[in-house]
Amino acid sequence: MVAVKLQKEENRKAFLDLYPALAEEVLGELRKYNMPEDAYEWTKENLFYNVPGGKLNRGLSVVDTIRILKGDAVTEDDIFKASVLGWLVEFLQAFFLVSDDIMDASITRRGQPCWYKKDGVGMVAINDAFILESCIYIFLKKYFKATDYYVELIELFHEVTFQTELGQLCDLITAPEDSVDLSKFSVEKHKFIVIYKTAFYSFYLPVALAMLMVGVKNESAYTEARNILIPLGEYFQIQDDYLDCYGDPAFIGKIGTDIQDNKCSWLVNQALAKANPEQRKVLDENYGQKNAEAEAKIKALYIELNIEETYKAYEEKSFQELTALINQVDESIGIKKAVFTEFMDKIYKRTK
């Protein structure tokens, strides 16, 4: 167990060590265009402030999946290419988070002020988010144009970006911060938001990238991967909703704002399903209100409705169902069970 942990730490360090060189490549593009010095320095800060923070689970998952799929046949070039693709998932994540924080009027991200909240940044952060997204295609062209799966990589990034933006749209119009209408909420709508906003780019994308790299052509392998990874992503986001309310900000790196931000979260949907008329009135009057007193009333109602216990029962049920799905994987089609157990090990009963 200690050896496995040390190996994971070494893999993470090797992944992180690659980032400065990638950032320098982007900055080299700016030099090529004779970018003015202040804009050059601005972009440099954007690259280092927004991309390499966080848990890096998405990016590392590309490398982990390559190691599993290729086993002893994995080469240094495989690890390098998988690491580049992993960082491109992190660039995509950074693009989403910088944008999302503006849309949600968030205060902190990864234990520091959101990028747009930094002195002098403000709405320039919107353009900075576009730059982060554009970096993906610079690196795909540089490192993968000569491969026979280059077009598939581009199409996959475009498709998953679109899916995520659809999830974000549904989230924003279902739960606008300035207009609280809990009748718009439902378990089904929450499911759509979660799958499209989080599951595709956080779970399916890293594995599909590795599968393209190793030459998996069988469409049923991608279908099988989606059938497990999308429910895994749904489980992950429901955990996130839970941690927003019950997690320790010191551990999760941000202050939970879902209640005050009128988020269509799993917790409020469970509360709506359980509430009697009097409790529903408390929800209608206090959910999405920008004050600590109203938030405290919602949290007290969650205790009254046993929402935490409902979550723990859901977590156990999901774990059993996902384990059963993983056990049924047909490895002859180009995918391995260990790919999915690796994900499960990272997120089951996480606290941040």
Side-chain angles (χ1 to χ4, degrees):
M1 194 68 183
V2 174
V4 171
K5 192 174 179 187
L6 282 172
Q7 185 61 56
K8 282 188 181 296
E9 284 172 6
E10 277 178 30
N11 293 347
R12 180 185 168 85
K13 184 180 182 304
F15 184 70
L16 268 170
D17 286 349
L18 176 62
Y19 184 72
L22 294 178
E24 283 303 321
E25 287 183 40
V26 175
L27 295 170
E29 294 292 313
L30 271 60
R31 289 289 189 219
K32 207 162 70 181
Y33 300 142
N34 296 317
M35 196 78 165
E37 196 61 29
D38 55 349
Y40 175 92
E41 291 298 331
W42 182 288
T43 305
K44 184 175 183 178
E45 189 179 1
N46 175 21
L47 291 170
F48 283 96
Y49 194 91
N50 292 307
V51 183
K55 297 181 285 292
L56 304 176
N57 280 343
R58 294 166 181 83
L60 284 165
S61 292
V62 185
V63 187
D64 291 341
T65 304
I66 280 291
R67 289 183 191 279
I68 292 166
L69 293 178
K70 295 207 78 169
D72 294 339
V74 74
T75 65
E76 280 188 27
D77 186 58
D78 291 330
I79 297 300
F80 174 75
K81 281 195 168 75
S83 297
V84 171
L85 288 174
W87 276 114
L88 300 196
V89 180
E90 295 295 332
F91 270 98
L92 186 66
Q93 159 86 337
F95 158 55
F96 290 146
L97 295 186
V98 169
S99 310
D100 191 55
D101 285 342
I102 297 168
M103 288 180 260
D104 289 348
S106 297
I107 307 299
T108 59
R109 169 70 65 182
R110 296 169 171 171
Q112 60 187 2
C114 298
W115 176 242
Y116 85 101
K117 279 287 186 185
K118 274 181 63 67
D119 285 348
V121 177
M123 291 304 107
V124 180
I126 297 170
N127 194 64
D128 292 333
F130 297 159
I131 289 171
L132 294 172
E133 184 195 21
S134 296
C135 291
I136 295 166
Y137 302 98
I138 292 170
F139 289 113
L140 286 179
K141 183 177 178 182
K142 177 165 185 179
Y143 289 107
F144 298 93
K145 192 171 183 180
T147 68
D148 61 359
Y149 53 91
Y150 176 56
V151 172
E152 283 84 354
L153 290 176
I154 292 172
E155 288 179 346
L156 181 60
F157 270 104
H158 281 317
E159 182 180 29
V160 169
T161 301
F162 184 55
Q163 288 165 328
T164 309
E165 289 161 353
L166 293 179
Q168 175 73 342
L169 171 64
C170 193
D171 190 14
L172 291 168
I173 65 173
T174 299
E177 284 192 57
D178 56 354
S179 175
V180 181
D181 180 2
L182 299 186
S183 67
K184 287 185 175 181
F185 289 10
S186 69
V187 171
E188 294 73 29
K189 200 169 274 188
H190 177 265
K191 187 182 182 76
F192 178 90
I193 292 167
V194 163
I195 288 172
Y196 282 85
K197 186 179 172 181
T198 300
F200 276 109
Y201 93 90
S202 300
F203 288 81
Y204 177 67
L205 176 62
V207 173
L209 289 170
M211 290 167 70
L212 287 171
M213 258 192 75
V214 300
V216 176
K217 304 288 186 191
N218 190 338
E219 190 51 46
S220 62
Y222 292 92
T223 302
E224 181 102 308
R226 267 193 305 274
N227 289 343
I228 295 170
L229 293 163
I230 297 307
L232 251 174
E234 187 180 357
Y235 165 53
F236 171 84
Q237 184 57 50
I238 290 170
Q239 275 185 323
D240 224 43
D241 289 355
Y242 170 79
L243 290 171
D244 185 272
C245 184
Y246 293 101
D248 182 343
F251 274 109
I252 62 177
K254 62 179 180 177
I255 299 160
T257 60
D258 283 1
I259 293 171
Q260 290 196 27
D261 289 348
N262 188 35
K263 282 293 177 186
C264 180
S265 85
W266 186 85
L267 303 180
V268 73
N269 278 295
Q270 297 305 310
L272 287 165
K274 289 179 160 205
N276 62 33
E278 193 179 319
Q279 291 165 329
R280 173 60 190 253
K281 191 166 181 285
V282 174
L283 286 164
D284 285 329
E285 289 175 356
N286 295 281
Y287 199 78
Q289 301 305 310
K290 295 285 189 186
N291 67 78
E293 190 183 336
E295 183 180 44
K297 286 179 182 174
I298 296 294
K299 288 187 174 181
L301 183 61
Y302 285 174
I303 292 168
E304 199 178 306
L305 291 170
N306 272 331
I307 299 299
E308 193 167 7
E309 291 311 308
T310 304
Y311 168 77
K312 286 175 180 171
Y314 161 82
E315 181 173 49
E316 201 48 48
K317 182 170 177 280
S318 291
F319 178 72
Q320 300 301 335
E321 288 172 353
L322 286 163
T323 301
L325 279 174
I326 293 166
N327 288 337
Q328 290 165 16
V329 167
D330 177 4
E331 295 194 339
S332 69
I333 61 173
I335 195 73
K336 293 184 180 176
K337 293 176 185 178
V339 169
F340 308 110
T341 53
E342 182 78 24
F343 270 98
M344 186 63 92
D345 289 347
K346 282 176 186 168
I347 66 172
Y348 182 53
K349 289 191 183 278
R350 70 189 173 102
T351 57
K352 61 181 179 178

